[in-house]
Amino acid sequence: MKYLKQPLDYSEILDLLVSRGLIIADRNKAIECLKVVSYFRLDNYFHPMESDKIRHIFKSGSTFENAMDLYRFDCGLRELIFTAIQAVEIALRSKMIHHISLQYGAFWFTDDSLFRDPNIQHKCMEQIRQELRRTREEFIIEHSAKYTEPDVPPVWKTLEVTSFGTLSKLFCNFADNKIKKRIAREFNLPQHLVLESWIKSAVVLRNYLAHHSRVWNRKFPIKPQMTTPLRGKWVTPPIANYDKLYSQLCYLKYLLDVIRPYNDFTLRLKKLLGEHSNVDVSAMGFPTNWESEPLWK
């Protein structure tokens, strides 16, 4: 089928939405919104209000303002999550540098024999070298100007410019489970497999954040491990939808409680939900009694 739709001006977009049953209280304000948030991006926030997903007909009482409120809620949610993931990423990087380097030296990430799958490790090294060439960090430039061997800086410098995705692959592919278990225990986790699962999930989540994609009602392709009993305050399994955002928020909060015991993640989350009372938390996988769980008290 040939694509025949043509671009529409702001007013024409609003006319189309009105013809489908959407209420627009202030057209001028709606146009100003469309000038800074493209219609196709905002379209994701219209979908929950549609009664007919094929013809895009809206439910009675649906408003443009509701869609914008949902969009703003999602923006605030992404900011909250990004701060948490940033803390987790930095903590993981620090623990990997410390524990693995003491055992295997300053250049362990270049030794294929320390990894389960050499093909994955070769790809990681290609990515690391690209990141080293691309970075403008002064400590990398100064190191390269002073030292010629080895051809990469030591791990405590190199990993500081390595992406979270590459960092995750280095950890998960590393062969020494004893060291990985030691790192997991510093996150108050019983074994490394839980940490691997959570890190993989966090990388995917962060990629959505990096592209400013919606997260509030998304189904995630990787489900974090949630059923293993944990030492710290946790949630009671089973959870209805492990592929929804609630599971992601749970493991991030658990890790934050270890990294930053006096964090305000729960307070900020509840405040955000209170400011956007029209948001359906069940669409994010929240159970009805989530606030009574030990993790969230």
Side-chain angles (χ1 to χ4, degrees), residues 109-110 112 118-134 151-152 158 161-163 166 169-170:
F109 62 101
T110 65
D112 289 352
N119 291 325
I120 292 176
Q121 180 55 17
H122 289 162
K123 291 178 181 177
C124 283
M125 282 306 303
E126 288 176 6
Q127 186 64 36
I128 286 171
R129 293 182 191 282
Q130 288 178 11
E131 290 166 344
L132 287 170
R133 287 193 294 268
R134 189 166 52 235
D151 64 341
V152 292
T158 295
V161 298
T162 298
S163 72
T166 302
K169 291 173 184 176
L170 287 174

Side-chain angles (χ1 to χ4, degrees), residues 17 46 126 140 154 157 166 182 200 236 238 252 270 274 293-294:
L17 292 172
F46 289 129
E126 288 176 6
I140 296 294
K157 293 183 181 182
T166 302
R182 194 180 306 157
K200 290 175 182 177
T236 306
L252 287 175
K270 290 181 177 179
E293 292 281 7

